[in-house]
Amino acid sequence: MSINGIDSSRIEAMVARLRNAAARAAGPVTAPSEAGEAEQAGAARRLDFGEALRSSLDQVNGAQRKAEDLGQRFALGDDSVNLSDVMIASQKASIGFQATVQVRNKLVSAYHDIMNMQV
């Protein structure tokens, strides 16, 4: 169903994806008896900080490339690309980049704090 040119099924699909992402981020709720087992499983599959950072940077890079690709396709007159898709992809890429810059600033600040500590 289309409301003022906006497909409501796409909005519902996006809301469902956001709910799934929030549920994954929250993680499963474990009972106290299962807590020890969950800690052991977490220890077995720990991520290296460098790998996590690289993965995050790859995601931001992918979002920027997707936004650029959609923008180019829209500018060339591709009928399968809507302006709203281009704008949403651009905003996602922008927010991801801004978050990355903030993380970098915090890491640099932490590095300076550590280097200025007296031993």
Side-chain angles (χ1 to χ4, degrees):
M1 182 169 141
S2 181
I3 302 171
N4 294 332
I6 299 174
D7 188 7
S8 63
S9 64
R10 293 179 73 187
I11 293 172
E12 291 171 3
M14 179 62 77
V15 169
R17 278 191 261 157
L18 290 172
R19 286 183 181 146
N20 287 338
R24 281 187 305 220
V29 177
T30 57
S33 63
E34 298 174 347
E37 295 172 8
E39 289 176 3
Q40 290 175 356
R45 56 182 171 97
R46 285 189 184 168
L47 285 178
D48 182 26
F49 177 75
E51 290 175 20
L53 185 61
R54 185 176 300 112
S55 172
S56 297
L57 290 174
D58 289 341
Q59 287 177 349
V60 171
N61 187 33
Q64 288 178 333
R65 286 184 181 190
K66 179 181 176 185
E68 183 180 350
D69 179 55
L70 284 175
Q72 287 178 351
R73 287 175 44 201
F74 182 78
L76 293 174
D78 189 350
D79 291 336
S80 66
V81 179
N82 296 329
L83 179 60
S84 60
D85 294 338
V86 175
M87 296 307 295
I88 290 170
S90 296
Q91 287 300 312
K92 284 181 181 179
S94 175
I95 290 169
F97 181 73
Q98 290 173 3
T100 302
V101 169
Q102 292 299 321
V103 168
R104 185 219 44 188
N105 291 343
K106 291 291 184 180
L107 287 172
V108 169
S109 175
Y111 174 79
H112 284 297
D113 290 345
I114 291 170
M115 292 306 293
N116 289 331
M117 284 183 184
Q118 292 186 1
V119 182

